[in-house]
Amino acid sequence: MTLLATANGKAPKYKLEALETILDFNEEPHRMVKMVISGSGDQFPIRDAPIFVRIRDHGETTYSWLVELSADSTQIIAFFPVDFKKTGQLEFGYGDQIWAVFQKPRWQSFQPLDTKRIDKGVITVNQAWLDRMKHPKNK
């Protein structure tokens, strides 16, 4: 994982790390970006409000397409498409409450996978794929 930023928020300092990875999703390999937010060993609470992770840049907002809490509740794990816009600040929180803002993540430090080394049959999670999943064509 590549450390992209730190931020102060409702707990001690938070850390943002990211990597491009291939994970099984719906029993098929999918290439996507995994971002992990952690604090100083504190647990994130389980709430009725959903967790969000989003990137904001000049009025444009990109939300992660999937967010989960780690099994031990010490990490928020968010997934983004591989073609996410690598500019702007990253925010996370619950419901409509922002917990912390990573003002200037070092997006330039983010290293994508070498696409020449990826097996055929791996599904790339990009914005076009997400759009197809949201709006499947009628058969």
Side-chain angles (χ1 to χ4, degrees), residues 4-7 16 87-90 101-108:
L4 297 182
T6 58
L16 170 64
T87 59
Q89 64 188 30
L90 186 130
V101 178
F102 296 95
Q103 293 288 339
K104 296 180 182 179
R106 293 183 297 278
W107 297 118
Q108 70 278 8

Side-chain angles (χ1 to χ4, degrees), residues 20-23 25 28-33 65 80-84 112-116 118-133:
E20 190 171 306
T21 188
I22 297 172
L23 298 171
F25 182 70
E28 293 182 284
H30 288 67
R31 181 177 141 227
M32 62 190 79
V33 174
W65 64 276
F80 284 85
V82 297
D83 57 353
F84 78 98
L113 293 174
D114 181 354
T115 56
K116 292 180 233 160
I118 297 173
D119 293 338
K120 290 183 176 161
V122 173
I123 298 165
T124 297
V125 176
N126 55 23
Q127 194 57 54
W129 182 85
L130 289 172
D131 290 345
R132 282 193 309 276
M133 294 300 107

Side-chain angles (χ1 to χ4, degrees), residues 18-126:
L19 66 88
E20 190 171 306
T21 188
I22 297 172
L23 298 171
D24 279 341
F25 182 70
N26 290 339
E27 300 180 20
E28 293 182 284
H30 288 67
R31 181 177 141 227
M32 62 190 79
V33 174
K34 177 181 179 179
M35 295 193 194
V36 177
I37 298 167
S38 57
S40 307
D42 290 343
Q43 290 185 324
F44 291 98
I46 297 172
R47 295 195 166 175
D48 287 338
I51 302 169
F52 68 85
V53 179
R54 63 188 177 205
I55 299 169
R56 295 183 123 177
D57 186 40
H58 302 312
E60 192 175 322
T61 303
T62 304
Y63 283 85
S64 60
W65 64 276
L66 177 66
V67 180
E68 60 188 19
L69 203 53
S70 65
D72 64 1
S73 299
T74 61
Q75 298 176 326
I76 293 174
I77 303 164
F79 297 93
F80 284 85
V82 297
D83 57 353
F84 78 98
K85 192 174 179 184
K86 295 166 187 71
T87 59
Q89 64 188 30
L90 186 130
E91 304 172 338
F92 77 93
Y94 288 82
D96 60 358
Q97 185 181 39
I98 297 172
W99 273 43
V101 178
F102 296 95
Q103 293 288 339
K104 296 180 182 179
R106 293 183 297 278
W107 297 118
Q108 70 278 8
S109 299
F110 179 77
Q111 295 295 313
L113 293 174
D114 181 354
T115 56
K116 292 180 233 160
R117 301 184 69 188
I118 297 173
D119 293 338
K120 290 183 176 161
V122 173
I123 298 165
T124 297
V125 176
N126 55 23

